[in-house]
Amino acid sequence: MAATLLTGMTITSCSNFLEPENKSAGGQTADDRFSADATQFLTTAYSSLKSIAYNPSLYQQGTDLYINTRGKSGGVYNEYTLTPEDNGVSSLYSNIYKTINYANGVISYAGADSNLGHQARFLRAYGYYLLTQQFGGVPYVTTYINDASREYPRTPLSEVYAGIIEDLTSLYNNSTLADQDHNGRASKQAVAALLAKVYLAAGWDLDTSVNNIEQGTYSVNSTSNFTQAAQWAETAIHGVNLTMSFADKWSPSNEGNAEEIFSVQYERTGYPGNSTDGGHSMQNNYGGYYGDCTTSGQKNVGSENSQSEKSMYLFEEGDKRYEATYMTTMYNGGKSGNVANWGTEGYYAYYNVDAAKLATFHIAHRYFPWYVTEAEAEAEFAAHKEQYVQGDDITEVTADILTLPNVIKYTFNADGSVKNKRTQAISDYNVQTSNGVCVKKFDDPASEQVTGNNTYRDIVIFHVSDMYLVAAEAYLMAGQTAQALTKINAVRNRAGLESLSSFSDYENTYATSPSFQIRDIDLILDERARELYAEGHRWMDLRRTKQLVRYNVEFSPYITSAKAMQDVSGSGYKLYRPIPANEIEMNTAMTSADQNPGY
């Protein structure tokens, strides 16, 4: 962490208003200012979450659910060729420690037992939770650092977990935090959710032992942490039943709803800089390429983190989460380049035009899930022929049935009748220009016609259905199978699926090799994949549950054997990210012996 501190964690990096240089007429110092009111410092700590809440490369890639398409390589995260010099890893490590140090600064100035201090302690604990899931044991620092200190030894993982749990438990029992908050501030519900996550991770990391990492087998040596995880997840659920539809939960007009526990806040209105690139890009990272958004009227997506073959078959027929997760109908834009009509004629018309009018719009691209038959698709074409007439911007109207091993592709004549029907191997389909559905969960209907960071949807960190599945996993690991199944069925029922009477009743819809046998933990992970698709949990979920190697070998097109996830000597698997090289170089209390296995 020393390198982190030396390159930006001091107080001078917070913003202009945090500079220690005495510029006030009254000679007020930073200590004077923040001792009197550390509110602005806390604002900086909250704002710093924007750099760590969303990271598709490190939070999603290198798993079973996402691939890069249109001829793009897998990259170092999918291929597990990253090194300790990787900039993405170094930036994440540094940015998390910035949040931690800002939080420690608030605590230093405002006091650990003040309301500001309570919020800061939650932010600090969240930062350390992310670090443990990505890096394992790390330097655990709970004092504010605004100098060039360089000696921070790596703390054993068990001690980091113990520190987080002790602090959060005290925070829940003794803090002045609100019971709930849906506006991006720490609350007791958020503390309980984080405690559930930490206890669950501690149970896996400290109380299970690996039998065979390639097969994903393990033994449970103690259930105490898992029992605590289940109890805290129940507390975080806060009595909220899953009665809201999945589509309404993720509707852009329903931010801050009753299922949201904690989120990172964004606001387009009043943004002090250039609003066209001051947001984030979460809506632009899960799907194919649909043309230049500035002229096509389609959403700007870059063919990264597209549906893997497993993801294509992950959702069974009747699962309402499919249509709520993916944009299956894209509408044709207005006159080419007509910025004034952006959002009402092309992709975003889905949100901004009433349903009756939308039913008359031209279609640009239509995507059917794997379980739709050719007869069903063709009946739709006939019934809505006028919508498949070519519009102004998209020169070729297409419709695809996303089935394996071959995608069934349709193109249309000028009058909306079917022009051509053919099959295309999925391997070829994934290198074409428009390759499959995109995720719509994070769409911002007010997006401007630009290619930059123009999403101002809040980034949800914790929500209630996640806690249902955390509870289910914790109950399963604690040997309480019936309670686990109750939580799973609540999630499935909301999605329109029937309850399972046992774990063995579960039948996956995606293909597996004969050696890959579905186990109880796979049901949990499949439900998490469907419920939390693209939210940024997958890599940590697979690492935590000891399935990272097993799932990559089985499902990733980039990993052909477990050896690909080892270092060159074959002495260790890459089950954590590498400790950044500059950290080991600059931190006088760390050496190469502190590097994680596999690097």
Side-chain angles (χ1 to χ4, degrees), residues 42-64:
L42 181 65
T43 299
T44 299
Y46 274 113
S47 182
S48 71
L49 292 177
K50 294 179 178 180
S51 65
I52 63 177
Y54 165 67
N55 191 317
S57 296
L58 287 162
Y59 295 170
Q60 304 278 48
Q61 292 185 8
T63 69
D64 54 330

Side-chain angles (χ1 to χ4, degrees), residues 72-382:
K72 293 191 174 184
S73 68
V76 298
Y77 304 109
N78 281 316
E79 296 171 358
Y80 285 85
T81 56
L82 72 165
T83 68
E85 291 75 27
D86 181 77
N87 288 332
V89 170
S90 180
S91 294
L92 179 66
Y93 189 93
S94 171
N95 287 332
I96 296 174
Y97 268 115
K98 286 180 182 179
T99 295
I100 290 169
N101 202 47
Y102 294 150
N104 281 336
V106 174
I107 295 165
S108 175
Y109 285 114
D113 292 324
S114 66
N115 183 265
L116 297 184
H118 292 160
Q119 295 181 67
R121 285 162 62 189
F122 168 79
L123 297 179
R124 178 177 66 188
Y126 176 62
Y128 276 119
Y129 167 73
L130 288 180
L131 285 171
T132 59
Q133 300 316 289
Q134 292 284 332
F135 299 97
V138 292
Y140 186 60
V141 182
T142 57
T143 56
Y144 177 50
I145 300 168
N146 61 353
D147 56 29
S149 302
R150 298 177 60 180
E151 187 170 358
Y152 299 97
R154 193 174 187 186
T155 307
L157 183 60
S158 60
E159 295 180 23
V160 180
Y161 279 141
I164 300 172
I165 288 170
E166 180 181 7
D167 198 21
L168 287 175
T169 304
S170 173
L171 195 57
Y172 187 87
N173 292 329
N174 303 305
S175 75
T176 59
L177 297 175
D179 286 344
Q180 291 180 294
D181 188 288
H182 302 302
N183 298 300
R185 286 296 180 263
S187 67
K188 288 190 175 182
Q189 186 184 24
V191 170
L194 183 52
L195 268 167
K197 294 266 191 178
V198 173
Y199 267 117
L200 183 64
W204 280 102
D205 288 337
L206 306 180
D207 298 334
T208 66
S209 53
V210 174
N211 297 329
N212 187 312
I213 193 63
E214 295 184 19
Q215 297 176 9
T217 56
Y218 52 83
S219 298
V220 179
N221 305 315
S222 172
T223 62
S224 58
N225 280 317
F226 293 120
T227 300
Q228 286 288 334
Q231 292 174 358
W232 282 109
E234 295 281 16
T235 300
I237 289 169
H238 206 70
V240 177
N241 295 316
L242 302 182
T243 56
M244 183 188 308
S245 74
F246 193 79
D248 285 346
K249 173 176 179 169
W250 289 103
S251 169
S253 62
N254 197 26
E255 290 190 300
N257 60 61
E259 283 198 38
E260 186 176 306
I261 297 174
F262 181 70
S263 61
V264 178
Q265 302 289 291
Y266 282 82
E267 185 63 49
R268 176 181 279 104
T269 303
Y271 182 76
N274 182 355
S275 64
T276 62
D277 63 3
H280 58 84
S281 60
M282 204 163 179
Q283 70 176 336
N284 306 113
N285 281 280
Y286 301 95
Y289 177 70
Y290 312 104
D292 181 354
C293 72
T294 63
T295 57
S296 71
Q298 300 305 298
K299 186 169 71 169
N300 179 48
V301 189
S303 302
E304 292 186 345
N305 307 307
S306 298
Q307 274 188 324
S308 68
E309 293 183 22
K310 177 180 178 179
S311 291
M312 289 174 65
Y313 272 67
L314 183 64
F315 294 81
E316 64 183 276
E317 185 173 5
D319 193 328
K320 297 176 182 178
R321 291 172 294 191
Y322 188 89
E323 292 289 340
T325 298
Y326 300 111
M327 183 63 82
T328 57
T329 303
M330 300 183 185
Y331 294 95
N332 223 332
K335 297 298 183 182
S336 181
N338 191 339
V339 178
N341 293 331
W342 171 257
T344 59
E345 295 181 336
Y347 178 93
Y348 293 99
Y350 174 86
Y351 304 99
N352 297 323
V353 175
D354 68 77
K357 184 177 180 181
L358 199 62
T360 68
F361 272 35
H362 295 305
I363 289 173
H365 305 296
R366 180 76 168 94
Y367 298 100
F368 297 95
W370 64 271
Y371 44 78
V372 171
T373 66
E374 295 172 53
E376 289 170 333
E378 289 164 15
E380 178 183 302
F381 302 152

Side-chain angles (χ1 to χ4, degrees), residues 575-587:
L575 304 179
Y576 283 112
R577 308 304 189 181
I579 301 297
N582 60 350
E583 169 64 13
I584 292 177
E585 178 183 354
M586 299 294 290
N587 188 337

